[in-house]
Amino acid sequence: MASTKKPDEHRTRIRRVRRRLAQEGPPWTRNREGDFETVTLPEGECDQLRDLLISEGVQTIVEIGLAYASSALAIGEALVTVDAPRPRHIIVDPFQERDWSNVGWDLLRSAGLDSIASLMPAPSSMALPQLLSEGLVADAAFVDGSHRFHEVFVDLYFLRNIVRPGGLIIVDDAGTPSVEAAVRYYEQNLGWTVVPGAFTDGSPTATTVDVSADPATRCKAIRLPDPPFEPPFESFRAF
């Protein structure tokens, strides 16, 4: 169900939670030194994620990985700003309760975003096929779950059938070798193209050019082809 709050009031509430999280950290962290700073998407890139999604007019988004909710709060702010009739934010995280003591979900609730967000506490390899079988069509996805090559590859495999043609898949930690290799397959073989300027000092742009992500940024935004296609197996390109 969509939020009944006025968009301006709701945005203010979300920004207040985001600012507190960035300045003070979460109310609870795992017992690992610097865990919040290591795991969390920095505030500046969260702002760029928000702005990119707003520029795309995103109404439905799938997010893999919740943790401390910095990216989820930015996504929620984008959805509230777009102010679509039925915004949806589907979050997949099997470890939110066990490993994170629900700190991310509690932060979303404090921002009033549980009215448009839902949490699937299942591995993405199980949750994404379920969403696909239910006929979900998303405008974008944000991927920050497992960084193992085979699991990233499977996430992207299902998301290419969930995210609409011409939609976006945004990958965190894109420079990690395992993540980079998984993404490269889809770029080389399935026509995925990088959105230049989405995570740099410039403004997000809808132009699709096959360029590398800025090495100083963690995230990479990739646009799916429209129309989609399946290449013949003979045209396989090594990645």
Side-chain angles (χ1 to χ4, degrees):
M1 181 184 297
S3 172
T4 58
K5 301 179 182 68
K6 294 181 180 178
D8 288 344
E9 294 175 358
H10 201 179
R11 260 197 314 271
T12 299
R13 180 175 174 182
I14 297 165
R15 289 173 180 172
R16 188 160 51 242
V17 175
R18 287 190 60 205
R19 190 178 308 114
R20 185 167 63 247
L21 178 63
Q23 293 176 352
E24 302 174 10
W28 175 93
T29 64
R30 297 186 298 179
N31 189 24
R32 302 179 186 180
E33 185 176 356
D35 190 61
F36 172 68
E37 293 78 10
T38 300
V39 170
T40 298
L41 188 67
E43 185 179 18
E45 289 195 58
C46 283
D47 288 344
Q48 292 173 350
L49 172 63
R50 174 202 61 200
D51 294 346
L52 175 63
L53 297 177
I54 292 171
S55 72
E56 293 285 320
V58 166
Q59 301 181 38
T60 300
I61 184 165
V62 176
E63 181 173 16
I64 300 176
L66 178 56
Y68 296 113
S70 63
S71 57
L73 288 164
I75 290 168
E77 184 180 344
L79 290 171
V80 168
T81 301
V82 171
D83 195 25
R86 295 183 179 274
R88 290 190 68 187
H89 182 188
I90 302 101
I91 304 167
V92 178
D93 191 335
F95 307 115
Q96 176 60 201
E97 180 177 3
R98 190 194 75 182
D99 290 0
W100 305 95
S101 294
N102 282 323
V103 63
W105 185 249
D106 288 344
L107 284 165
L108 286 180
R109 291 180 61 193
S110 70
L113 287 169
D114 53 322
S115 59
I116 62 176
S118 58
L119 177 62
M120 299 182 72
S124 56
S125 58
M126 297 174 62
L128 294 178
Q130 178 181 332
L131 293 174
L132 182 61
S133 69
E134 292 172 356
L136 177 72
V137 177
D139 300 299
F142 183 73
V143 183
D144 188 19
S146 169
H147 288 13
R148 298 182 183 95
F149 167 81
H150 55 285
E151 292 177 322
V152 179
F153 189 93
V154 169
D155 287 347
L156 298 179
Y157 172 82
F158 284 109
L159 286 171
R160 71 182 283 260
N161 293 295
I162 292 172
V163 175
R164 62 173 174 77
L168 294 181
I169 294 180
I170 302 150
V171 181
D172 189 23
D173 296 314
T176 303
S178 55
V179 176
E180 185 178 23
V183 172
R184 193 182 305 121
Y185 167 81
Y186 293 92
E187 292 177 322
Q188 293 292 324
N189 291 278
L190 289 170
W192 293 18
T193 51
V194 175
V195 179
F199 291 96
T200 66
D201 292 336
S203 300
T205 173
T207 305
T208 56
V209 180
D210 191 8
V211 296
S212 298
D214 189 315
T217 67
R218 286 175 45 158
C219 293
K220 187 175 188 178
I222 309 149
R223 191 175 301 282
L224 303 190
D226 186 12
F229 65 92
E230 293 289 347
F233 71 89
E234 300 92 343
S235 68
F236 174 79
R237 296 181 180 179
F239 62 101

